[in-house]
Amino acid sequence: MSAPSRSQALISDHEGTPAAAAVMPVPVLELRDVSKVYGSGDIAVAAVSHASTALYPGQMVALLGPSGSGKSTLLLMAGLLEAPTGGSILLQGRLANGPGASIADPRAFRRQHIGFVFQKPNLIPFLSAAENVRLALEINDVPAAQAQRRTHELLSYLEVDHRSGNLPSKLSGGEQQRVAVARAMANQPPLLLADEPTAALDSKRGRQVMSLFKQVARDLSAAVLVVTHDHRSLDLFDRILQMDDGHLSECAVTSLATVLTAPAAV
Amino acid sequence: MNLATRDIRANLMRFLLTGLGVGLTLLAAMSMTGLYRGVVKDALAIIDDSQADLWVIQAETEGPFAETSSIDRRVLARTLSLPGVREARQFMLQSLRVTINGKTVRGSLIGLDFPVDAGAWIPLVAGGALAAGRGEAIADESSGLRLGNEVLIHGTRVEVVGLARGYLDSSGNPMIAMSINDLLEIVTHRPSEAIERARDAGRPVPSAKAANIAAVMLNLDSSADAEGVKQAISRWGDVTVMSAEEQRTAFLYGRLGRLRGQILMFTAVLLVVSAVVIAVTIYTMTLEKRREIALLKLIGARNKVIVSMVLQQALVLGALGYAIAVGIGPLIKPLFPRRLVQPPEDYLMFAAIVLVLCVLGALLGIWKAMQIRAQEVLA
């Protein structure tokens, strides 16, 4: 699916209208004027200020920005791990925070609707590659036989099936990250959040993982939000968001070249 | 998928070593309890095994097990004249150092009123009870004596005709039983030099002094009024009378009171140490899995998955420690200089204690696990 334009994204803010619903699918993730302030009074720090955007099924979106710009805070809020201090977060059209929130149990929602991939694979060290994937399925009450089959399918899809019985310590960095992606995809979540997933990989492996996300976004119609510093793979993304001092902005396609050639800004 | 067993399997050696540490701590606590029970059993062996209903002892004392008791031998005849008394036996107890096979052994000599009391109640492992009024003895095997051995004690020679096991006094020293006449001879024996010196000084010859006994043990008719017999004896004035239960109490809370308190206190300290070791171990195990727990929360695992993992590991650790303690216990038991007594109910009690400690330790770990935030994975 092609990326919606900025104007299309803005239309989604008015999804309540029948006309809008007919034009656009419901965003998987929608931030409406979201802010996050840590502390209060003189020591208050605004990590995110009035951020708004929407991610649609099948989109792969990069989130760029210097260290301390609020990228990780935004990711935490999108993953229902931090509550915003202002604004609204909607996941699949359901309000996640504030009065009238329809997501009562964020952990249960994450279980079914959000997959996470990190800079480090964060595999459970005492579980084999297959068990790490199966765990995510079992946690979601998928019957054992089905979980087994799905695990096999995922590991085959990510070409690490031959290492399924190995503990993470026996896998290479790239293999571990593939297993982590398989785990994140296990329950076919509509939203995949990744925090610098290629930082620990060489350029070749890094691009492979980014390509994998692209493949996941396409094949599963999932929205993929990737915090990254890796400019070499930016061409794979449908959209690029930029964070600066807590302010979120969208890089126009025309400005992509600037981003790509200005690493100091990222 | 059982996360607890997967974790244990992947870190088996470390888990076994942790279990060994817990097991050895439990073993120390169990051994201490066994030691306590052993001391009590040794101390009460004669009171319990002799099956006397009443003990006639020196007035204003608590009997030969709590302090020195000395009564005239003629008390025996008086007790036999009382209605309701079926049997009366003289009893003597003397702590002595005895040279056995060139080695000096401290022990307690017991005087039995042969033939009324031939020592048939002593727990024998070889030989038999006394068959003659003189020159025979029953010895605990820890004395080093064996059947047929002869031993010279203060001029009196006795031959071992019965061998007992676990026949020890309250200090854990072996007991040697013989006829009261042999024991009287032993306690009144004086070297010839002592007699000469006494004569030279114009003092009475020591051995000529009439020896007393420590107590008279009474067994009553089944229809006898024990209280009535006690009151009748109490009126004599020169002696007092205690039931077997009173003797036990006087001994345990009197002479053995401090020792019991000491051992019990030490046992309590060891149990507290065990509790702390188990709790800290489980807490540490939980802290080591901080990242994994955060990850589980991040991917949406319910709390019961995490609680179950911590609790199961705590219980497996406790079970392993308990198995090690129970397994090693019998192997090292013979190395203890004092007897360890561990009845089945103690094993059950310790199993229950370990269960409680593990659950409490797990609660601490679970509390910590609940504090862990999912976003720690990203830290």
Side-chain angles (χ1 to χ4, degrees), chain B residues 259-274:
Chain B
L259 179 61
R260 286 175 64 241
Q262 190 92 338
I263 296 175
L264 279 178
M265 195 62 211
F266 202 48
T267 306
V269 169
L270 277 173
L271 279 176
V272 171
V273 170
S274 302

Side-chain angles (χ1 to χ4, degrees), chain A residues 117 158 176-186 209 212-213 216:
Chain A
V117 180
L158 296 167
Q176 286 187 38
Q177 200 60 296
R178 280 167 181 272
V179 175
V181 173
R183 179 181 63 195
M185 290 167 60
V209 169
L212 203 58
F213 285 131
V216 169

Side-chain angles (χ1 to χ4, degrees), chain A residues 81 107 111 118 131 138 141, chain B residues 1 6 298 300 302 375:
Chain A
L81 295 165
R107 205 191 292 186
R111 192 185 308 147
F118 316 96
E131 287 169 338
E138 288 189 8
D141 300 326
Chain B
M1 186 186 314
R6 294 292 199 288
L298 186 83
R302 295 171 183 87
Q375 44 268 61

Side-chain angles (χ1 to χ4, degrees), chain A residues 26-59:
Chain A
V26 175
V28 176
L29 169 67
E30 188 177 0
L31 307 179
R32 290 183 183 169
D33 202 28
V34 167
S35 297
K36 178 70 182 180
V37 179
Y38 290 107
S40 60
D42 293 342
I43 56 163
V45 176
V48 176
S49 297
H50 307 287
S52 294
T53 192
L55 271 68
Y56 290 87
Q59 277 190 337

Side-chain angles (χ1 to χ4, degrees), chain B residues 321-341:
Chain B
Y322 180 76
I324 288 171
V326 170
I328 293 179
L331 301 178
I332 64 162
K333 206 170 166 179
L335 303 177
F336 281 79
R338 291 295 304 256
R339 176 158 57 151
L340 302 187
V341 175

Side-chain angles (χ1 to χ4, degrees), chain A residues 58-197:
Chain A
Q59 277 190 337
M60 174 146 145
V61 180
L63 180 58
L64 307 181
S67 295
S69 61
K71 302 186 302 293
S72 292
T73 303
L74 193 77
L75 202 73
L76 288 174
M77 289 192 290
L80 304 182
L81 295 165
E82 287 278 0
T85 48
S88 305
I89 296 175
L90 289 93
L91 287 152
Q92 296 195 289
R94 293 170 64 184
L95 186 61
N97 67 300
S102 59
I103 298 175
D105 183 354
R107 205 191 292 186
F109 189 87
R110 280 200 304 273
R111 192 185 308 147
Q112 294 175 329
H113 300 282
I114 306 175
F116 292 90
V117 180
F118 316 96
Q119 179 177 341
K120 290 179 183 170
N122 277 323
L123 298 176
I124 293 183
F126 50 83
L127 298 182
S128 69
E131 287 169 338
N132 264 285
V133 179
R134 216 172 73 215
L135 177 67
L137 291 158
E138 288 189 8
I139 280 172
N140 199 27
D141 300 326
V142 174
Q146 196 181 328
Q148 188 101 24
R149 193 173 59 247
R150 172 104 182 111
T151 299
H152 175 67
E153 286 168 3
L154 278 167
L155 292 177
S156 299
Y157 174 71
L158 296 167
E159 297 172 3
V160 277
D161 196 31
H162 61 293
R163 308 303 303 271
S164 63
N166 290 97
L167 289 176
S169 57
K170 303 290 179 193
L171 305 178
S172 70
E175 286 171 334
Q176 286 187 38
Q177 200 60 296
R178 280 167 181 272
V179 175
V181 173
R183 179 181 63 195
M185 290 167 60
N187 291 304
Q188 296 177 280
L191 177 62
L192 206 59
L193 300 174
D195 190 11
E196 302 192 38

